[in-house]
Amino acid sequence: MTGERASSTTTETEILKRYLREAHEALLWKLDGLSEYDVRRPMTQTGTNLLGLLKHVASVETDYLGQVLGREQEQLPWMADDAEPNADMYATAEESREWVVDFYRRAAARAEAAIDELGLDAPGHVPWWGGASRDTTVRRLVVHMIAEISRHAGQADIVREAIDGSAGLLPGNSNLPESGQAWWTGYRDRLLEIADGFRLEERAR
């Protein structure tokens, strides 16, 4: 757990909820202080953008900890079989930033409610998973979502740094060395020098 150890009395449910919550927060704060343009701007050749990452995570979480568990959920037309490819990976012009963030928070709240109300051992059925693994539990679904959100939080780290140079784990806990720009420039140059050495070796082969 970030910044502190779990006590011997911490339950498995509390631990999983803590990691789930921290993953949510790590992704969400990457939008802080950015313009409407920057949160929507595609920063990779495959169109990765910050607001789209939130919409995607909220959509997946709504499915896994809603539909899969037979719980009431919002209708997500962008997740339907006939939706255009990647419709869950960006916000349309009609979908405001505030709406996407609120959708993300609602999905997170519903996920925690499912854990609290059903318990980790409650069964679920994932029709799009193959074989025997389709029949699963809330526990596995929560672990799956922690992995899913954390993966996209890592994408958001790179996207945000590419937009304005901001980096770090969470507000108040950057998890990075507290060094000036000169140190970071020297650090990057040192890594580039190491990489260049291998490039020269590869060319010489």
Side-chain angles (χ1 to χ4, degrees):
M1 294 182 187
T2 305
E4 65 182 74
R5 294 181 180 179
S7 72
S8 59
T9 59
T10 304
T11 67
E12 181 186 9
T13 297
E14 289 169 335
I15 291 170
L16 289 175
K17 284 174 62 178
R18 174 70 179 273
Y19 274 99
L20 185 64
R21 194 174 300 127
E22 288 181 349
H24 281 125
E25 292 170 356
L27 177 55
L28 180 60
W29 91 271
K30 290 298 177 178
L31 275 66
D32 286 0
L34 291 180
S35 67
E36 196 73 34
Y37 166 70
D38 280 332
V39 298
R40 295 171 182 269
R41 180 154 53 122
M43 296 298 294
T44 70
Q45 291 300 308
T46 53
T48 305
N49 64 96
L50 291 173
L51 202 59
L53 290 176
L54 258 68
K55 181 180 176 182
H56 170 73
V57 164
S59 301
V60 171
E61 193 162 39
T62 295
D63 275 351
Y64 276 110
L65 291 170
Q67 175 186 339
V68 165
L69 298 174
R71 292 170 66 83
E72 184 178 352
Q73 66 174 56
E74 298 181 47
Q75 296 302 307
L76 310 179
W78 54 87
M79 297 290 280
D81 291 339
D82 60 352
E84 69 166 321
N86 272 17
D88 61 319
M89 296 296 295
Y90 73 97
T92 67
E94 293 73 34
E95 293 169 342
S96 71
R97 174 184 187 154
E98 291 74 21
W99 181 86
V100 174
V101 170
D102 187 57
F103 172 46
Y104 182 81
R105 292 187 187 279
R106 292 197 306 273
R110 284 194 301 265
E112 289 206 20
I115 298 169
D116 291 337
E117 294 168 16
L118 299 177
L120 296 179
D121 293 322
H125 179 77
V126 187
W128 53 88
W129 284 1
S133 65
R134 291 178 179 175
D135 293 316
T136 186
T137 63
V138 169
R139 176 183 288 102
R140 184 177 177 189
L141 295 173
V142 172
V143 171
H144 181 88
M145 282 310 308
I146 291 171
E148 173 84 9
I149 301 168
S150 297
R151 176 191 179 199
H152 292 305
Q155 288 180 296
D157 284 338
I158 303 302
V159 169
R160 179 64 191 259
E161 187 173 354
I163 290 172
D164 67 356
S166 296
L169 179 64
L170 289 168
N173 178 20
S174 73
N175 203 35
L176 296 172
E178 295 182 3
S179 304
Q181 184 59 46
W183 185 91
W184 282 107
T185 299
Y187 171 72
R188 182 183 180 281
D189 289 346
R190 190 162 68 252
L191 301 189
L192 185 59
E193 182 180 354
I194 293 170
D196 281 342
F198 283 92
R199 180 173 61 173
L200 292 174
E201 286 183 13
E202 290 165 356
R203 286 180 175 176
R205 289 174 186 168

